[in-house]
Amino acid sequence: MKNQLTTLCYIEKDKSYLMLHRITKKNDINHDKWIGVGGHFEHHESPEDCLLREVKEETGLTLKDFKFRAIVTFIADDEPAEYMCLYTSNNFTGELIDCNEGKLEWVPFKKIETLELWQGDKIFLRLLQKEVPFFSLKLVYKNGSLIEKELNPPDLWKKIED
């Protein structure tokens, strides 16, 4: 089994993020969770190629610019590791389309943590809100529960608690 390379983007408008409620696919590891938009790299894609393609496919939006904010490493049970390039953007054009992976919704920043999120997502979403510089976050899950987390640089943990 090969490691996976993915992208995830949180698109911002009016102090809200565009969130995808993953309710469509039955055998989806993210079923019923709220996440950003993104997906797996295709053959010969760069992270930016994947980001732009996935955002367009899932939302109908075209990003005009974006920020590479973090690399997130997911380890879950006996699955291959997933290395996710995490981005944000607040500069885009186009109109939202229906997404075949779930329901897209603009969610105010203040309401995001009330949604059904992965435990580790709460960590990086807080860091995105604090506008911290680039970071690396390793998240280890066992049976769907977060059992280990490692943040670099480590002093960023103080930002989450503020």
Side-chain angles (χ1 to χ4, degrees):
M1 292 190 289
K2 290 171 47 173
N3 293 330
Q4 300 178 47
L5 301 172
T6 62
T7 59
L8 190 68
C9 186
Y10 286 90
I11 302 170
E12 181 181 334
K13 179 179 87 169
D14 301 327
K15 296 187 181 177
S16 298
Y17 279 140
L18 183 60
M19 302 288 288
L20 176 58
H21 191 196
R22 298 285 294 248
I23 54 175
T24 306
K25 298 177 181 179
K26 295 286 184 226
N27 293 327
D28 180 359
I29 192 167
N30 292 307
H31 189 71
D32 287 334
K33 300 280 195 233
W34 291 79
I35 62 173
V37 295
H40 293 84
F41 284 45
E42 290 185 353
H43 190 61
H44 289 170
E45 277 189 321
S46 70
E48 295 77 16
D49 294 337
C50 179
L51 168 71
L52 295 170
R53 177 185 52 76
E54 287 285 351
V55 167
K56 183 70 170 175
E57 288 176 3
E58 292 182 3
T59 69
L61 303 176
T62 300
L63 298 182
K64 293 300 182 187
D65 63 35
F66 47 84
K67 291 182 193 172
F68 189 14
R69 304 289 302 276
I71 186 82
V72 181
T73 304
F74 292 100
I75 309 293
D77 304 309
D78 293 328
E79 297 296 318
E82 176 183 343
Y83 302 98
M84 182 182 76
C85 299
L86 182 61
Y87 295 89
T88 56
S89 178
N90 61 7
N91 188 0
F92 56 89
T93 60
E95 297 295 323
L96 283 181
I97 60 171
D98 289 335
C99 180
N100 65 359
E101 297 187 18
K103 183 179 185 309
L104 291 167
E105 187 175 320
W106 292 103
V107 179
F109 296 154
K110 293 177 183 177
K111 286 188 162 185
I112 287 177
E113 288 208 31
T114 67
L115 303 174
E116 184 69 29
L117 302 169
W118 288 103
Q119 292 167 283
D121 290 16
K122 292 179 182 181
I123 296 169
F124 64 69
L125 283 163
R126 287 178 193 150
L127 291 167
L128 294 179
Q129 288 296 294
K130 300 282 186 176
E131 290 291 328
V132 300
F134 190 85
F135 61 93
S136 175
L137 177 63
K138 179 181 177 183
L139 302 167
V140 180
Y141 287 88
K142 181 91 171 154
N143 299 321
S145 293
L146 184 63
I147 61 166
E148 183 183 331
K149 55 193 182 225
E150 184 179 320
L151 180 61
N152 284 298
D155 64 330
L156 290 179
W157 285 117
K158 291 182 280 186
K159 293 279 190 184
I160 295 172
E161 296 158 3
D162 289 348

